[in-house]
Amino acid sequence: MTITSAGRTHTPSQTYLSTRGGDYGLSFETVVLKGLAGDGGLFLPEEIPVATDWQSWKDLSYAELALQIFSLFISTDEIPAEDLKAIIDRSYSTFRAQDVTPLVYLHDNLYLLELFHGPSYSFKDCALQFLGNLFEYFLLRRNKGKEGRDRYRLTVVGATSGDETYQPIQTGSAAIYGLRGKEDVSVFILHPKGRISPCQEDQMTTVLDRNIHNLAVEGTFDDCQDIVKALFNDPDTNQTLKLGAVNSINWSRILAQIVYYFRSYFLLAKASSLDIGDNVRIVTPTGNFGNILAGYFAKKMGLPVDKLVVATNENDILDRFWKTGRYEKKPVHDEEAQGGLEADGVKAHVEGCKETLSPAMDILISSNFERLMWFLAKDFASTAVLKDDLNRKQAGQEVSAWFQSLKTTGGFGPVSKPILETGRLTFESDRVSDQQTLETMKSSYEQTGYVLDPHSAVGVAAAKRSIARTGPHIPHISMATAHPAKFAEAVKLALKHEDSFDFEKMVLPCELDELTQMEKRVTVVENSWDAVREIVKRQVVEDVR
């Protein structure tokens, strides 16, 4: 047991530190509300707990399973078990599917875990519904007996841009649905006016809760991204408004996603001949590395995963790392960067990101990869038989050096052979082009009648290659991360020659169709971080009233 900076007693897996060594002994509440470490690093538990009784979880409901897993990372000193159960029950009562994340058989020992049954039809709901309720719980406790300006308020600012730090494209609507109506939280989501898909715009702007504010910036995705960065990087704004992060740098999002890796395994055991204890492979389409990092935690906790397969689109920094050991930006510009579909929210970046049909994965840098590298560095340091605190210190120094090199030179590596080989014991990777994505969407529909969104299709394409390498005896679970209706134009493009296909009848949910007729609220703002800052400050004052 350890004593945190708040004076509470926690296990090592309930005590948090920064990947870059500047912060140690932090509580769960601190890392959730703070989001990003003061030294620029990301928060992690000091240890990943081994769940020796994980097999006994096989018959639990999703919410019951979440309680077992979260309790390993959250001390009852911070959230009593009864309160945590109530938070979890509220978080997953909003999902349309009884199983929360149902498992669907596709073909040839390949299964899909559907993660899009939450309010925003995205996998991000699995974490952001929980995070929204966490924010509310912590803030209500901090503000007990306080009134008006004495209350601690959190201001969440994000942009529907695919930047590696400030909210991938689907996070805008998922953040809004997770935080709508929460007391003492003001939410501001920026999007480029006229440059996101009608579905995404309708999902965001039809939420009329008084703490939700949509800002349509007269500029591009990159302009929105730059404005958010400027707000976070301005000390006065950050301190005055108490800015909070809800994207995948927030540790609670990784924690929440661990649950469905275990859940997928137990559902597969019930649906197939898999015996509890047998190995599976899990394939995750990923850009920011947050989703598949949760799989890494699940494996380290005891889940029998043969390999986690990283599926990238043409923005392939992760695939290149696993093949070469070098983590390096490879920006593209002008015609080489063009692609994707504007109507589905495609966005090329000034930094040189490639536009693709799977825009939520269009990144140059995978921010959560830093968390994995810390664990790999710590494992390597432990081979010298040093004490745990020295191993952690060594890992922090290694990560700081790597990511300083990334900042100054655009890359680092190749990393040492033992570090790379340790990582490869858990991970494989594949790169999937836009053409291969379309072919996978088409073949999936022709073979099974299943309609994939382009991100999920990247995963299925990589899963098929993995099956070809291993043979069909190892079951594969591929993560279906978004409902196909959210990327309508890519779906229509892939299936345009299928006579039996009707998007409106077969794909479009009534709830999304009805959004077009609902009242909307959005504020148009000039392309200026000063203008946005003043609107945010003014509105936060109004929200307090």
Side-chain angles (χ1 to χ4, degrees), residues 278-392:
D278 289 350
N279 273 337
V280 299
R281 284 192 165 211
I282 300 180
V283 186
T284 305
T286 190
N288 241 2
F289 205 75
N291 192 346
I292 200 165
L293 181 68
Y296 174 79
F297 272 80
K299 178 175 170 62
K300 289 296 184 181
M301 290 170 67
L303 191 67
V305 177
D306 174 65
K307 282 287 195 300
L308 293 165
V309 181
V310 177
T312 77
N313 63 17
E314 294 174 47
N315 295 291
D316 59 353
I317 187 172
L318 293 169
D319 181 56
R320 286 184 280 110
F321 175 83
W322 292 116
K323 288 180 168 57
T324 68
R326 180 159 179 78
Y327 190 75
E328 183 178 30
K329 292 182 183 180
K330 279 198 174 179
V332 293
H333 300 282
D334 303 322
E335 289 186 7
E336 191 179 355
Q338 294 174 9
L341 298 167
E342 186 173 345
D344 279 349
V346 72
K347 68 280 177 191
H349 291 262
V350 173
E351 294 93 338
C353 202
K354 174 76 168 70
E355 295 177 332
T356 75
L357 295 171
S358 45
M361 296 159 59
D362 288 349
I363 53 86
L364 278 178
I365 298 173
S366 302
S367 61
N368 279 291
F369 195 63
E370 178 171 338
R371 287 180 158 121
L372 174 69
M373 294 306 296
W374 186 89
F375 281 111
L376 295 180
K378 180 175 177 287
D379 287 346
F380 180 63
S382 67
T383 61
V385 200
L386 300 174
K387 293 182 179 180
D388 261 359
D389 57 340
L390 294 177
N391 293 337
R392 289 194 289 265

Side-chain angles (χ1 to χ4, degrees), residues 109-285:
N109 222 2
L110 172 58
Y111 295 78
L112 287 176
L113 189 71
E114 293 184 340
L115 301 175
F116 50 72
H117 291 280
S120 77
Y121 292 80
S122 161
F123 83 97
K124 294 179 174 67
D125 290 321
C126 296
L128 283 165
Q129 289 293 301
F130 175 60
L131 178 55
N133 286 313
L134 273 181
F135 277 164
E136 184 174 57
Y137 179 84
F138 288 140
L139 293 175
L140 284 173
R141 186 166 66 187
R142 286 191 174 202
N143 290 329
K144 188 175 181 179
K146 297 179 181 179
E147 296 182 0
R149 295 182 182 275
D150 292 332
R151 296 178 69 84
Y152 185 100
R153 290 190 63 85
L154 197 64
T155 305
V156 172
V157 182
T160 54
S161 151
D163 172 69
E164 64 269 14
T165 305
Y166 298 96
Q167 327 305 7
I169 191 166
Q170 295 179 56
T171 301
S173 56
I176 285 171
Y177 281 97
L179 296 170
R180 63 185 303 179
K182 303 302 182 188
E183 194 170 349
D184 296 315
V185 182
S186 295
V187 182
F188 298 84
I189 301 296
L190 284 64
H191 69 267
K193 183 182 177 183
R195 298 196 185 196
I196 60 175
S197 75
C199 176
Q200 290 162 333
E201 185 170 356
D202 288 345
Q203 278 192 298
M204 294 190 299
T205 60
T206 54
V207 177
L208 304 180
D209 298 68
R210 65 185 304 268
N211 72 318
I212 301 296
H213 310 286
N214 283 285
L215 305 181
V217 177
E218 293 180 315
T220 66
F221 282 103
D222 291 306
D223 294 327
C224 294
Q225 168 184 296
D226 290 342
I227 289 170
V228 174
K229 285 180 178 178
L231 292 171
F232 271 87
N233 290 332
D234 179 58
D236 177 63
T237 301
N238 211 327
Q239 179 61 34
T240 303
L241 297 176
K242 296 182 175 64
L243 297 183
V246 296
N247 62 340
S248 60
I249 65 170
N250 194 299
W251 158 248
S252 68
R253 284 192 53 179
I254 309 299
L255 172 60
Q257 290 171 163
I258 297 171
V259 179
Y260 55 69
Y261 282 84
F262 279 94
R263 182 66 171 166
S264 69
Y265 185 89
F266 296 138
L267 290 174
L268 179 58
K270 292 178 180 179
S272 70
S273 60
L274 179 82
D275 292 326
I276 299 295
D278 289 350
N279 273 337
V280 299
R281 284 192 165 211
I282 300 180
V283 186
T284 305

Side-chain angles (χ1 to χ4, degrees), residues 414-427:
V415 298
S416 68
K417 188 175 181 180
I419 287 177
L420 184 61
E421 288 180 345
T422 299
R424 284 173 173 168
L425 292 175
T426 298
F427 293 96

Side-chain angles (χ1 to χ4, degrees), residues 107-111 464 466-476:
H107 57 72
D108 299 330
N109 222 2
L110 172 58
Y111 295 78
K464 289 181 177 180
S466 176
I467 291 172
R469 291 192 295 269
T470 65
H473 63 284
I474 297 183
H476 283 62

